[in-house]
Amino acid sequence: MNVWPDIAAPSSMSGGIFDPLDEANMETGDDAARPRFSVPRQQPMRLEWAAMSYADFDALVAFHANQRSTPFLWVRPRTGAQWEARFVSNAITHNESRDTPGRLAVQCTIQPIRRVE
């Protein structure tokens, strides 16, 4: 399994877990909830870099091109937890700014599949 490229850590990440309950609202106004019978999955994780270098951007784009449809090993920067992950259908987006010449604001989304122990 390929490993996430050696680029600077994201400046921000957002994600979460799916709710482990199925809920339903009835026409009477009542509601019901039951546990799901499958393991709760992680929501897609949005990775953002406020000022990524062009070299790191090129490495990320090349990695995305090679790994678009296959899982890879991703290490969460703050905790060091290892995850099997894949890219989701959102493309890598970037913005150039006059405020940070030579740098790009970059966003991409990955889907954590399972934690690697």
Side-chain angles (χ1 to χ4, degrees):
M1 179 178 308
N2 286 336
V3 178
W4 182 260
D6 186 19
I7 59 176
S11 51
S12 70
M13 300 185 315
S14 60
I17 61 166
F18 286 114
D19 189 352
L21 296 178
D22 274 333
E23 297 184 52
N25 294 321
M26 318 295 181
E27 290 180 10
T28 61
D30 294 330
D31 61 0
R34 68 167 178 78
R36 291 185 184 191
F37 296 105
S38 58
V39 176
R41 291 183 54 193
Q42 296 281 324
Q43 289 181 346
M45 177 122 354
R46 181 100 173 144
L47 308 178
E48 298 182 15
W49 292 263
M52 179 183 269
S53 70
Y54 281 97
D56 281 356
F57 179 72
D58 291 342
L60 179 61
V61 169
F63 184 74
H64 179 269
N66 290 329
Q67 292 297 130
R68 174 59 189 99
S69 62
T70 57
F72 53 85
L73 184 64
W74 177 70
V75 178
R76 193 174 182 123
R78 187 179 59 80
T79 64
Q82 296 184 9
W83 286 85
E84 184 178 321
R86 64 174 175 76
F87 286 104
V88 295
S89 60
N90 300 9
I92 296 172
T93 60
H94 66 283
N95 297 308
E96 296 184 54
S97 170
R98 289 186 213 186
D99 299 336
T100 56
R103 300 279 176 171
L104 299 167
V106 178
Q107 303 86 32
C108 76
T109 306
I110 62 171
Q111 173 66 60
I113 300 169
R114 67 177 183 86
R115 190 168 176 166
V116 178
E117 300 296 331

